[in-house]
Structures are given as structure tokens and as C-alpha cells.
Amino acid sequence: MPQPRARTAGDIPTPPKAMTLAERRKQITRDRLGTSAASDYMKAPGRKPTGKPVRPNGHEATRGPAAQSPSAVRPGVAAAPENPTWVSSWATASPGLLSIGGHVKLPKRGSTYSGMWFYVLDEAGNFVIQQEIKKSTGDPVGDTSPTGVWCYDWWSSNSYPTDECFWWASNALGGPLQDGKKYYAWIFLNSSDGSSSPQGTTSPLVEAF
């Protein structure tokens, strides 16, 4: 009976190459984006409003241009940035989350603006979100913030429209957004000189679910 051949080092399979820390972090952020509300809106450029924008009826804003006179322009500012062309809105079904969001069409490419003021109001005009957005030059992959706005032109190496942004707001049950209630976004563009859009632009109402 022939003797079994002795195993050599060449018979041992090569173990898989271990991930570097940077590769592992990239994988984690990619997986997080796949389950975050932001990803649903990032992947839907060009989705226009399907209803009429809400006439702003907000009251008791405490931050940003919505807390000022609608026509206010800061002293010394020759021209404030234009209002967004339109703001769309829709809801998405996310596991364990109430999620609303949409797109913002800009008069110029996104890199023109230093950021924006982002508000979400309920149908009665109560402010649910009052957030100043600063321009970011990073990639939004991995952003799991519950609320935000991101312009495609703020980061390189993508084929999305340069004159669009996407916005989102989400929370678990019991958070600021409530199941079955209707909301709308109100967005003002900012310039580096400190000025904001004169009236801002609103989205149609959208029901959170």
C-alpha cells in the first residue's frame, strides 16, 4: 500500500489578505450609507416637485434668515444670492425610521454657495428643524446624520448634476418627525459675504411615515 505523501508548505492555502484600518473604515461607512436615509435621496437626482410649494407660514424661528424680515439684506451686501429654483419632497420607507427628503435645484452650480439655511416645518408652521449647512468638500458616503443637505458639486469625482443638492430628515418613532404628519422644507442659499436668499424656497407638503 503506497504511503501518503507528506504535506509541504506549498500545500497550505494562502490566508486571505487582512484589511488595512483605512479599508475597514471605508467598508463600514459604505455599509452605513446603504441603510441611512440620505442614500435614498442622493441616488435620485433630477426628481422635481409633484405639487405646489407651500406658502411659508412659519412662526417663532430662532435662527437664520427665517427669523428676520423676509426681505432683509445685511448692510453693505450688494446682492444676496438668488432663491433656490425649486425644492422637491417625498417620503421613503426605511427600517425603523420616519424619513422625508428631496432635491434642491440651484440657480448656479453648488460650489458658488458657502452653504444654506435648512428648515423643516409642519403643516401648522411650527419649526421642527433649524439648521445651518456649511459647504463640505468631502464625499458624503458614510454620512449618517439624521438631517442635512449636500450639494453634488461640493465633492469631486461624481457624475451627478452640479446644480442640484439633496436634503433629508429622519428619526425613530418618538422623535421630531411624527408618523402621519405633513411637513415641508424651506431653504435659503448662503454666500461667503454673509448674505442669504431673500425669501428662500419651499417644497410641497410631504407626509412622514
Side-chain angles (χ1 to χ4, degrees):
M1 182 175 180
Q3 295 294 321
R5 185 175 66 87
R7 296 183 67 186
T8 66
D11 297 317
I12 301 174
T14 303
K17 183 181 177 181
M19 278 188 178
T20 65
L21 180 58
E23 289 171 336
R24 177 56 180 158
R25 285 175 175 169
K26 186 174 182 179
Q27 181 189 57
I28 290 172
T29 55
R30 184 175 61 247
D31 292 344
R32 283 177 177 171
L33 180 65
T35 59
S36 73
S39 65
D40 294 324
Y41 302 101
M42 183 184 77
K43 298 172 183 176
R47 187 163 172 176
K48 296 181 179 180
T50 56
K52 293 183 178 180
V54 177
R55 183 175 180 178
N57 63 343
H59 48 80
E60 298 183 1
T62 58
R63 303 180 62 203
Q68 305 168 7
S69 168
S71 59
V73 177
R74 295 188 182 186
V77 176
E82 299 172 81
N83 296 313
T85 306
W86 50 255
V87 180
S88 63
S89 59
W90 68 92
T92 61
S94 300
L97 293 175
L98 300 174
S99 299
I100 60 174
H103 276 251
V104 184
K105 184 72 169 181
L106 305 173
K108 301 175 182 177
R109 64 182 304 157
S111 57
T112 305
Y113 309 100
S114 63
M116 62 195 72
W117 276 94
F118 169 50
Y119 302 96
V120 173
L121 300 85
D122 65 19
E123 194 170 10
N126 300 304
F127 284 85
V128 178
I129 295 168
Q130 302 181 60
Q131 184 177 1
E132 184 177 13
I133 304 295
K134 299 288 189 179
K135 179 169 69 174
S136 174
T137 56
D139 190 316
V141 171
D143 192 306
T144 56
S145 303
T147 63
V149 185
W150 211 301
C151 296
Y152 294 121
D153 196 37
W154 287 354
W155 85 96
S156 59
S157 303
N158 76 82
S159 58
Y160 291 111
T162 59
D163 61 348
E164 277 191 39
C165 313
F166 59 95
W167 68 271
W168 72 95
S170 65
N171 58 247
L173 290 174
L177 299 177
Q178 298 179 31
D179 190 16
K181 289 191 69 172
K182 293 183 178 180
Y183 301 90
Y184 65 94
W186 189 9
I187 294 177
F188 295 75
L189 303 176
N190 294 341
S191 289
S192 57
D193 61 12
S195 61
S196 300
S197 303
Q199 286 84 32
T201 301
T202 60
S203 73
L205 284 169
V206 57
E207 182 177 338
F209 63 84

